[in-house]
Amino acid sequence: MNRRTLGGTGISVSELSLGAMMFGAMGNPDHEDSVRIIHSALDAGINLIDTADVYSAGESEEIVGTAIRDRRDDVVLASKFGLPMGTDPNQRGASRRWIIQSVENSLRRLGTDHLDLYQLHRPDHDTDVAETLSALSDLVQAGKIRAFGSSMFPAETIVEAQWAAERRSTHRFLTEQLMYSIFTRRPEASVFPVTQRHDLGVLVFSPLNGGWLSGRADLTSSHRASTRPNHYDPTTVTGAAKAAAVGKLSALAAEAGMTLPQLAIAFARAHPAVTSVLIGPRTQEQLDSLLPAAEFDLSGDVLDRIDEIVPPGTELDPADNYNATPPAIEHPHLRRR
């Protein structure tokens, strides 16, 4: 599998990465089967595994730790922090207090003494970004992490963090992880130009748009639909738009000699700002079906036809970018004096 350099980190990562959200109670509760899937991904040439403390309340990290115990030096290990890990308001966010505690928790669950990449899962609007950068920089100095990055940051917040790092002379965010697919192309309009300007490595997740681009005939009975049924309702305005686009994209994929999910992943790989595309299989069968996408390079003609179906910089459902709404929009009291 081809490799790319992860922004300014200097770390070489595979063009496909393994997202571990589906390992544990949120997806595949069978630890031994999950470990086998992780080993299969590593054997296929994937070298970056991305997990998070919040995935199945730490269970995903424990599974990943078991799987890489004898292969740690060959793995670029990434985890995330910041989303709630309990009811206590201090068990979330990007304060120095929580960062120091959460990294130790993750290292313990993963059975390692360092993370190659540590990422803030979502922006923390209640903590000064300079405070966050200072705490993360101290972890770099202590050898607990090798580099750190952000996730689901809007363009202006990425720029603010870069400016704060320069002004305070701290280490800076070197990566950004975000949602990107044929159906969620908004990053092309703002985030990607900013990440390119600041030489950030970019990891993209949900290239199949939560299953819409999986090629599955009945999405209403899928694993994801059990928690977000309205998201997969083809009778809604956005659902109808996605269903119509799926039909056109499926025909295009067949003409190009690939499956719909392979087309979707190849599309995400094709953008010059993208370093690696995260795939999140729940089963071995799903992994086997997605791995060939690393070998497909889309022609200009195919990319142009995708643009006709979903124009660049647009998205079919604004609600797809969950947990990225600024507080002043999400909470009415912040819009009133």
Side-chain angles (χ1 to χ4, degrees), residues 41 53 60 128 160 202 275:
D53 55 4
S60 171
D128 185 344
E160 178 190 1
V202 173
T275 308

Side-chain angles (χ1 to χ4, degrees), residues 21-317:
M21 188 176 75
M22 287 289 103
F23 301 139
M26 292 175 64
N28 186 344
D30 187 328
H31 285 212
E32 291 185 358
D33 187 47
S34 296
V35 167
R36 284 192 291 269
I37 294 169
I38 293 170
H39 287 169
S40 294
L42 296 176
D43 291 342
I46 287 177
N47 78 325
L48 191 157
I49 300 176
D50 177 81
T51 184
D53 55 4
V54 76
Y55 294 163
S56 298
E59 188 181 3
S60 171
E61 288 185 322
E62 293 173 353
I63 292 170
V64 170
T66 299
I68 68 171
R69 184 173 298 145
D70 298 323
R71 307 176 71 163
R72 177 65 184 90
D73 291 343
D74 300 324
V75 173
V76 177
L77 182 59
S79 193
K80 300 183 288 295
F81 71 96
L83 292 183
M85 287 294 288
T87 58
D88 188 336
N90 286 321
Q91 294 178 316
R92 67 192 69 183
S95 68
R96 174 178 288 271
R97 183 181 191 275
W98 180 238
I99 288 172
I100 300 303
Q101 183 176 344
S102 61
V103 75
E104 294 295 344
N105 292 341
S106 288
L107 292 174
R108 182 185 67 254
R109 287 189 290 261
L110 288 160
T112 186
D113 62 358
H114 73 280
L115 289 166
D116 297 296
L117 178 64
Y118 200 38
Q119 303 153 99
L120 175 54
H121 215 147
R122 294 291 185 273
D124 179 1
H125 300 282
D126 295 324
T127 303
D128 185 344
V129 70
E131 174 72 6
T132 299
L133 292 169
S134 174
L136 290 169
S137 296
D138 287 347
L139 292 183
V140 173
Q141 296 295 336
K144 301 284 187 179
I145 62 176
R146 300 297 186 251
F148 57 84
S150 56
S151 179
M152 295 295 280
F153 272 38
E156 64 272 15
T157 307
I158 294 174
V159 173
E160 178 190 1
Q162 296 293 311
W163 174 81
E166 182 176 350
R167 185 166 67 94
R168 298 292 185 91
S169 298
T170 64
H171 290 271
R172 66 188 180 96
F173 289 125
L174 290 175
T175 66
E176 164 65 10
Q177 183 175 150
L178 69 158
M179 179 184 293
Y180 180 57
S181 72
I182 295 174
F183 286 175
T184 52
R185 301 185 63 175
R186 187 168 59 176
E188 297 169 348
S190 57
V191 173
F192 283 168
V194 168
T195 60
Q196 289 175 299
R197 175 179 288 273
H198 292 283
D199 192 25
L200 300 185
V202 173
L203 306 175
V204 298
F205 67 92
S206 200
L208 305 185
N209 193 229
W212 272 102
L213 297 168
S214 67
R216 185 175 182 136
D218 181 15
L219 290 176
T220 60
S221 62
S222 67
H223 175 77
R224 294 283 185 91
S226 63
T227 57
R228 300 180 68 198
N230 293 337
H231 181 72
Y232 301 97
D233 185 353
T235 66
T236 64
V237 173
T238 55
K242 286 186 177 183
V246 165
K248 297 175 183 177
L249 291 167
S250 297
L252 177 59
E255 289 180 34
M258 62 187 80
T259 65
L260 177 59
Q262 290 166 357
L263 174 76
I265 293 171
F267 167 83
R269 280 180 51 240
H271 197 286
V274 173
T275 308
S276 186
V277 179
L278 289 161
I279 57 174
R282 184 170 53 89
T283 66
Q284 182 68 50
E285 181 182 12
Q286 290 174 352
L287 175 66
D288 292 341
S289 70
L290 298 176
L291 286 172
E295 308 302 323
F296 289 107
D297 293 316
L298 302 185
S299 67
D301 177 64
V302 170
L303 290 171
D304 287 343
R305 292 177 64 183
I306 292 175
D307 288 349
E308 294 172 359
I309 299 169
V310 181
T314 66
E315 56 193 2
L316 295 185
D317 184 359

